[in-house]
Amino acid sequence: MQLLVLFVYLLPWIASSFANVEKTIFLAPEAIKISQHPPNLETLHLEALTPFNHTLHTQVPASFPNPDSRGTVSWFLLDKLQQEQRHEVRICWTATQPTDFTLDTFTLSEVFGTHELISSLASYSETRLNPSIRPSSKRAERSASVLFLRVVATADYYTTNKTLMHNVPLVDADIILDPFILNILPQSLLPTGLYLTIIAVIAWYLSGYIWHIFSEIASPDHDKKRR
Ligand SMILES: *[C@@H]1O[C@H](CO)[C@@H](O)[C@H](O)[C@H]1NC(C)=O
């Protein structure tokens, strides 16, 4: 049992050792009614993640920190979450693009009630020219647990190359939404978890078997039989 607990603690390390990872863990809020008539959430043209469409390959703009900002802000929509369930959002990027990421989630009311957040979201939304306006559904409103995800990307390198010091290239990143199973284990770690559990069970029985063999060999009865 202690072995299993240890494995559960080690799982995130195993999963995160291949690239740079930053993450945030949150409980999905209660579902709310969202208007389907424009202007609505779709009008913001944010890239969206849902539990069914959980990985986004994207390019995130970054910049060096200055007295006015920590970096470049991008906004994403986390949609159709399972309300009151624990989820994790990870951003993974290659070590060849040294960047600091800060992830935060906000409810709709937090964003629309905070001047700083709404103006940041509005200016990000303006930069996203998305001419393909999806046909809106016939329903007047839908009900969903949604959150805004704010990603702040800060360039974290120094080079003598002036071009690179003035224009920070876009950072190739994967953003992954991962619901937790029973609020304990991220879903994507389930195969690794099962694998380690099977190994642990086999090791348990194998060690018992080996111990049995050794104790047989060491027992006085064994000696008698051999004589
Ligand atoms: C600076 O970096 C840019 C972008 O990677 C590259 O195209 C350019 O050749 C570099 N300049 C020098 C002097 O290395």
Side-chain angles (χ1 to χ4, degrees):
M1 193 59 213
Q2 275 171 341
L3 206 60
L4 280 182
V5 171
L6 183 70
F7 276 132
V8 169
Y9 275 112
L10 286 177
L11 279 176
W13 286 91
I14 294 162
S16 63
S17 55
F18 302 112
N20 291 331
V21 179
E22 188 59 56
K23 66 179 176 182
T24 179
I25 295 173
F26 56 88
L27 284 177
E30 258 181 62
I32 51 164
K33 292 206 163 68
I34 299 161
S35 166
Q36 293 286 84
H37 290 302
N40 57 13
L41 280 180
E42 276 75 30
T43 331
L44 292 168
H45 302 311
L46 300 183
E47 286 183 279
L49 285 155
T50 70
F52 316 101
N53 190 7
H54 49 76
T55 304
L56 189 65
H57 304 285
T58 187
Q59 292 196 307
V60 183
S63 57
F64 288 102
N66 63 43
D68 298 330
S69 76
R70 284 186 293 151
T72 303
V73 179
S74 303
W75 288 84
F76 300 87
L77 188 66
L78 307 178
D79 203 348
K80 299 172 186 157
L81 300 170
Q82 290 167 38
Q83 55 177 336
E84 270 142 47
Q85 193 180 330
R86 197 179 300 268
H87 294 67
E88 152 179 315
V89 171
R90 292 191 293 278
I91 185 161
C92 312
W93 68 103
T94 55
T96 52
Q97 295 186 287
T99 316
D100 275 341
F101 283 99
T102 313
L103 306 183
D104 290 293
T105 53
F106 301 98
T107 62
L108 268 59
S109 55
E110 276 171 332
V111 170
F112 292 119
T114 314
H115 175 72
E116 204 184 318
L117 296 176
I118 189 70
S119 59
S120 166
L121 174 61
S123 48
Y124 178 77
S125 175
E126 275 166 27
T127 66
R128 291 195 51 83
L129 298 169
N130 190 345
S132 63
I133 290 173
R134 274 165 273 158
S136 65
S137 94
K138 294 210 173 67
R139 283 176 300 153
E141 57 182 24
R142 66 185 174 106
S143 180
S145 170
V146 293
L147 282 172
F148 284 118
L149 171 69
R150 185 184 66 182
V151 175
V152 183
T154 316
D156 186 25
Y157 59 79
Y158 180 78
T159 166
T160 50
N161 182 325
K162 289 210 174 77
T163 321
L164 284 177
M165 288 309 282
H166 282 111
N167 305 304
V168 179
L170 293 169
V171 183
D172 292 311
D174 280 356
I175 304 177
I176 301 154
L177 173 67
D178 208 358
F180 274 49
I181 292 165
L182 302 173
N183 280 351
I184 300 171
L185 183 71
Q187 196 167 299
S188 63
L189 291 182
L190 189 63
T192 319
L194 283 178
Y195 173 74
L196 290 177
T197 308
I198 290 165
I199 297 279
V201 168
I202 291 173
W204 171 266
Y205 280 108
L206 197 64
S207 66
Y209 178 69
I210 291 170
W211 185 81
H212 182 73
I213 290 174
F214 274 112
S215 60
E216 282 249 306
I217 292 171
S219 77
D221 288 354
H222 185 83
D223 285 351
K224 267 180 227 154
K225 262 180 242 155
R226 289 192 72 185
R227 266 182 225 137

